[in-house]
Amino acid sequence: MKKSSILINTLVLFAVTFVAVSALAVVNQITKEPITQAEINAREQIYKIVYPDAENFTDIENAENLIENSDKMLKNAGYDGCFINDALAVTDKNGSIKGYVIAATSPSGYGGDLQIALGITLDSEITGFNIVSHSETAGLGSKCTESGFTSQFTGKSAKILKYTKTGAYADNEIDAISGATITTNAVTEAANAAIMFYHENLADNNTNLKGE
């Protein structure tokens, strides 16, 4: 093959690649904002379940660092492998903080990672609880999503929770899911990780909101 032909083929290939990459960049830019907004909307729909009285969800300043630095704290507390997924402030129409929504994951589910979300008021009361994602066994561990289980978190004090198989009486006790102790343990782990994060970083109400 002549050098001129090689050069032409190389230039053509470069041109095609450039056009393809440029087109991909344009498509990505066009779709990025709708995808991001869809993710925000989906996230807020879940959070509205765990904090029904929320008017607005607001980013917390330095939240990423707080979340990243919480890994060591959780490990030292015996929740090795658990991690915080998200933390948002709940604010009123005037921008005043009323509470927080925190999402956390435990790796200890029967099917692997199990993620929860819960709301906590400034008075350290749980406003609601929900399972964000799980891979638990249908008809057993999957019962963690049923209202009969999730509703028992609402109104409890935001302190370290325990589960029991003999009937919950104390303010920090949760009834275990029958036949699904592993799932119950994972749910409790994740909830406690979120509660510990709240007390470690947010409970003093000195949190700054992003942009302030």
Side-chain angles (χ1 to χ4, degrees):
M1 182 179 295
K2 295 181 180 180
K3 289 184 179 180
S4 58
S5 298
I6 295 175
L7 179 59
I8 292 172
N9 290 339
T10 302
L11 291 174
V12 170
L13 179 60
F14 175 79
V16 170
T17 302
F18 177 78
V19 170
V21 171
S22 298
L24 183 61
V26 171
V27 171
N28 182 65
Q29 190 61 36
I30 293 173
T31 59
K32 182 178 180 180
E33 185 173 342
I35 290 174
T36 301
Q37 188 59 49
E39 290 174 347
I40 292 172
N41 293 341
R43 181 174 69 168
E44 291 193 357
Q45 284 180 4
I46 292 173
Y47 293 169
K48 188 68 175 176
I49 293 173
V50 302
Y51 212 118
D53 295 334
E55 293 187 38
N56 301 292
F57 296 103
T58 307
D59 288 332
I60 300 168
E61 184 179 0
N62 205 33
E64 291 183 1
N65 287 335
L66 294 177
I67 290 171
E68 182 178 348
N69 294 335
S70 68
D71 288 348
K72 184 177 180 180
M73 178 268 293
L74 294 175
K75 181 177 181 180
N76 290 339
Y79 299 103
D80 192 15
C82 292
F83 57 91
I84 305 301
N85 301 87
D86 198 10
L88 292 175
V90 176
T91 57
D92 61 18
K93 60 183 179 182
N94 297 318
S96 298
I97 298 176
K98 296 300 182 183
Y100 299 93
V101 170
I102 304 166
T105 293
S106 166
S108 305
Y110 190 83
D113 285 356
L114 185 151
Q115 184 183 156
I116 64 92
L118 54 79
I120 303 177
T121 69
L122 296 184
D123 295 326
S124 297
E125 180 179 305
I126 297 175
T127 60
F129 174 90
N130 195 33
I131 301 295
V132 178
S133 63
H134 73 91
S135 300
E136 304 304 278
T137 305
L140 289 174
S142 66
K143 291 181 179 179
C144 66
T145 63
E146 296 178 1
S147 60
F149 177 74
T150 60
S151 63
Q152 61 183 323
F153 289 81
T154 304
K156 290 192 176 294
S157 297
K159 54 188 177 183
I160 298 302
L161 301 170
K162 300 177 181 179
Y163 65 87
T164 176
K165 299 179 182 179
T166 58
Y169 295 101
D171 185 50
N172 68 327
E173 287 185 336
I174 299 296
D175 283 322
I177 302 168
S178 179
T181 303
I182 293 176
T183 301
T184 305
N185 179 68
V187 170
T188 307
E189 269 193 352
N192 285 336
I195 290 168
M196 291 194 68
F197 179 84
Y198 162 77
H199 285 292
E200 183 75 13
N201 299 289
L202 308 172
D204 60 5
N205 194 29
N206 290 325
T207 308
N208 292 322
L209 300 180
K210 195 169 184 179
E212 288 190 347

